[in-house]
Amino acid sequence: MQPSRDIARLVEIMAALRTPETGCPWDLEQNFSTVAPYTIEEAYEVVDAIERGDLADLKDELGDLLLQVVFHARLAQEQGLFEMGDVVEAITTKLIRRHPHVFGTARDLSPQEVKALWGKIKEAEKAERAASRAALGLPPDTKGGALDGVPAVLPAMTRALKLQEKAGRVGFDWNDARAVLAKIREETDEVSEALDAGGPEAIKDEVGDLLFAVVNLARHAGVDPEAALRGTNEKFVRRFGFLEGALATRGVKPQEATLEEMEALWQQAKQVERAPATTTAAS
């Protein structure tokens, strides 16, 4: 078995890995449920490579993510459900159908007209899915609410954002970011009241409401809350690393320093980040 640029070779390799007796013991014992966590993990590693600007690593991570698609398709093929070609056909069909202004006759549409057309296409897709389920002998999909279609397994912040977006499409939304900011202040007061009462369940509930409102603020401000928090996490890591390094030069570990000492170093770390970069001109 030789490497190849053709995706067909990847499909062949996966088939070999899943061949009883001659395949890989680990691959052979996998199923949809056991592979799913790896699929999520690989998707995050793709995002991580993009965030780091490591495009060489991105190539490898995209390959790892593609492997997950091929793995799931192979599992489905073994059960007589569908195969990789069906997956490719499904997404190409969807892309062509959803872009009639590119691939069809609906040319020169305004953004508003594209949005209206999108709604009609989505309705047609729902009818098609219903027919497909009936052909497979599956029960009708009883879901039809405005918030349906947001996977429960998504990270909580990402799911909150998608739920808010769907609710907003049917008019359940704030008018502007400052209205959401007022809601955050209200939620902060309710967290304070819960802390005073000391009930852990109430505190958890109110903190959840506060986080949900913060996600809403990010959405209205045009900020991806997941990306914003990732950025803040990295900033925290940098600043804490500066703090640890500064303490190490004094022969002190963080747990041996006072909070006042660490806070002073934290402020220094912020000043270092804010200082303009200096360049030395070549003589």
Side-chain angles (χ1 to χ4, degrees), residues 256-274:
E256 298 168 343
T258 66
L259 183 58
E260 289 74 17
E261 289 174 317
M262 289 192 285
E263 175 60 26
L265 289 171
W266 186 266
Q267 295 303 322
Q268 286 183 33
K270 291 170 66 175
Q271 292 173 8
V272 169
E273 286 188 353
R274 292 170 181 167

Side-chain angles (χ1 to χ4, degrees), residues 206-251:
E206 296 301 344
V207 168
D209 290 347
L210 176 59
L211 291 172
F212 194 84
V214 170
V215 171
N216 226 337
L217 175 63
R219 180 173 65 89
H220 278 272
V223 173
D224 178 352
E226 193 75 27
L229 186 56
R230 282 200 303 271
T232 296
N233 287 341
E234 292 308 311
K235 181 168 58 179
F236 182 86
V237 170
R238 288 196 308 272
R239 291 177 180 177
F240 196 82
F242 176 92
L243 179 155
E244 285 184 307
L247 288 175
T249 61
R250 306 175 189 176

